[in-house]
Amino acid sequence: MNDAVRKIADAVLYEGYLLYPYRASSVKNRQRWNFGVLYPRAYAEAQRGNDRWTLRAEVLVTGAPDVDVLLRFIQLTPRPGSPWQEATAREVSLPGTFAFDAVEGWADVRIEEVGEGVWRVTVDVENRTPYDGHPDDRDSALLGSFASAHVVLMARGGAFVSLLDPPAALAGAVAGCKSEGVYPVLVGHEAMLASPIILYDHPRIAPESRGDLFDGTEIDEILSLRIMTLTDEEKREASAGDERARRLIERTDALTAEDLFGMHGAIRGERTVTVRGVTLRSGDRVRLRPRGSADIMDMALAGKTAIIASIEQDFEDRIHVAVLVDDDPGRDLGASGQPGHRFFFSPEEVERL
């Protein structure tokens, strides 16, 4: 597993490991692992379908059916004198049976050709840990569970197919893939992460992130600012309760103003659009040419010159050009020279100067 894949897989593994305010005494940290828990079968079945003891991941690979499969999860053990359990990361090569102390499981990997040069990979995982505790005793059941369970598949000589945006020729084969308890997404084209958390293809850790906050769906800036509001006593309690919490708090306390500013937001790359053989990009000077269907405000701007501030794409995949009009009287209202107004036009309504 390369570093890029491991970073994403680790973010999933430790999602919800502990949550702000990172103290064992806080209610939200007394019961953990809301995502991806595979319980012992006896306990899960007693919940009448509300909890899982199995997972299945089905994906497509092209080129070569040579795939390595890893199951990763957290195993919990009691921590003397603490409401928290010790958490140990586990990683198992599949298929086969496996056991770690008080947990045991079984996994199967099947590969079948579903088209010329196209194979479906099916991974089944079962928690086979015996359980004779009370059906309402979740804490006991957790000690026999696979917490934050997910599967990483790596192709050797082949490439995985996106299940979210497949090629048209493979749409039927993708529709035949049925995963249960996990959501497979591409991490590059040679790795697939079957995650208990819904992600898009090619997820990445933001380079501005300074480290784990154990809530990968949140914003680092917000959580960091919240941590800074903790009292010294609250920080001491969190640090004493967990080594990862201690490192998190020390790292946050050491953040500089520049570090925090870097978390405030970033634009990834530059979007361009080509119209009639001319490529438009941010910073280009243009003249506005609203079409007949434009509204009255757009028509009032006809013929005016402007600078492209950004090129945006909406949820219906339509492209819009955001411009700053040269003689807009509101341009001096923004801070640090930023504009007071942006106006949006279609790419066909602007003419590069």
Side-chain angles (χ1 to χ4, degrees), residues 28-349:
K28 68 172 72 173
N29 284 319
R30 292 176 189 169
Q31 288 190 330
R32 301 187 292 183
W33 317 114
N34 296 322
F35 300 101
V37 181
L38 297 187
Y39 293 94
R41 179 175 182 174
Y43 175 85
E45 291 182 340
Q47 310 313 307
R48 299 182 180 180
N50 294 325
D51 292 297
R52 304 194 62 85
W53 65 279
T54 67
L55 68 79
R56 168 172 288 188
E58 286 194 340
V59 303
L60 294 183
V61 63
T62 63
D66 194 1
V67 177
D68 292 327
V69 184
L70 293 176
L71 169 69
R72 305 174 81 240
F73 63 92
I74 292 288
Q75 180 184 355
L76 305 177
T77 55
R79 177 184 293 179
S82 173
W84 277 353
Q85 304 95 348
E86 294 284 354
T88 303
R90 303 296 191 188
E91 190 169 292
V92 187
S93 294
L94 306 181
T97 59
F98 55 90
F100 298 98
D101 302 326
V103 300
E104 57 187 74
W106 168 90
D108 185 35
V109 178
R110 301 185 304 282
I111 301 178
E112 57 183 320
E113 192 167 13
V114 294
E116 185 175 354
V118 182
W119 290 266
R120 181 170 60 230
V121 183
T122 301
V123 181
D124 286 307
V125 178
E126 298 180 359
N127 184 342
R128 294 187 173 182
T129 305
Y131 180 75
D132 57 5
H134 194 279
D136 293 332
D137 191 351
R138 180 175 180 270
D139 287 341
S140 293
L142 280 173
L143 300 181
S145 298
F146 310 157
S148 196
H150 59 278
V151 174
V152 179
L153 303 96
M154 293 160 289
R156 292 184 293 180
F160 289 107
V161 176
S162 171
L163 303 182
L164 300 177
D165 186 22
L170 296 178
V174 164
C177 292
K178 306 296 182 185
S179 294
E180 299 175 1
V182 288
Y183 194 83
V185 295
L186 291 174
V187 186
H189 290 286
E190 297 178 352
M192 184 76 81
L193 171 63
S195 165
I197 304 165
I198 294 177
L199 301 170
Y200 288 107
D201 283 337
H202 311 295
R204 294 186 301 158
I205 303 297
E208 295 80 14
S209 178
R210 300 300 178 181
D212 292 332
L213 289 168
F214 311 113
D215 198 337
T217 60
E218 267 287 5
I219 300 172
D220 281 25
E221 181 188 24
I222 293 175
L223 287 173
S224 297
L225 291 171
R226 286 178 177 175
I227 293 165
M228 291 178 177
T229 68
L230 296 175
T231 66
D232 290 343
E233 179 57 36
E234 289 172 329
K235 291 179 180 178
R236 281 193 291 270
E237 180 189 345
S239 297
D242 188 90
E243 175 62 20
R244 290 180 178 271
R246 182 190 66 78
R247 295 201 299 267
L248 180 156
I249 289 171
E250 289 181 353
R251 185 182 69 242
T252 304
D253 284 344
L255 290 174
T256 65
E258 184 178 356
D259 293 333
L260 279 171
F261 183 77
M263 297 179 188
H264 190 62
I267 297 174
R268 307 292 179 209
E270 180 185 20
R271 179 176 286 139
T272 63
V273 61
T274 300
V275 182
R276 297 182 295 274
V278 177
T279 299
L280 302 173
R281 55 173 49 86
S282 298
D284 283 350
R285 294 189 56 76
V286 296
R287 190 175 301 278
L288 305 179
R289 302 292 190 190
R291 293 178 296 187
S293 60
D295 62 26
I296 188 64
M297 176 61 74
D298 291 342
M299 296 304 297
L301 297 176
K304 294 187 178 294
T305 57
I307 295 176
I308 296 179
S310 62
I311 297 174
E312 311 286 351
Q313 184 173 7
D314 65 21
F315 288 111
E316 296 179 349
D317 295 328
R318 293 175 299 189
I319 300 297
H320 306 272
V321 179
V323 301
L324 312 176
V325 178
D326 287 339
D327 60 358
D328 176 12
R331 287 199 63 178
D332 59 353
L333 297 179
S336 303
Q338 294 300 310
H341 302 96
R342 292 197 306 169
F343 298 93
F344 291 84
F345 292 85
S346 73
E348 293 78 11
E349 294 179 308

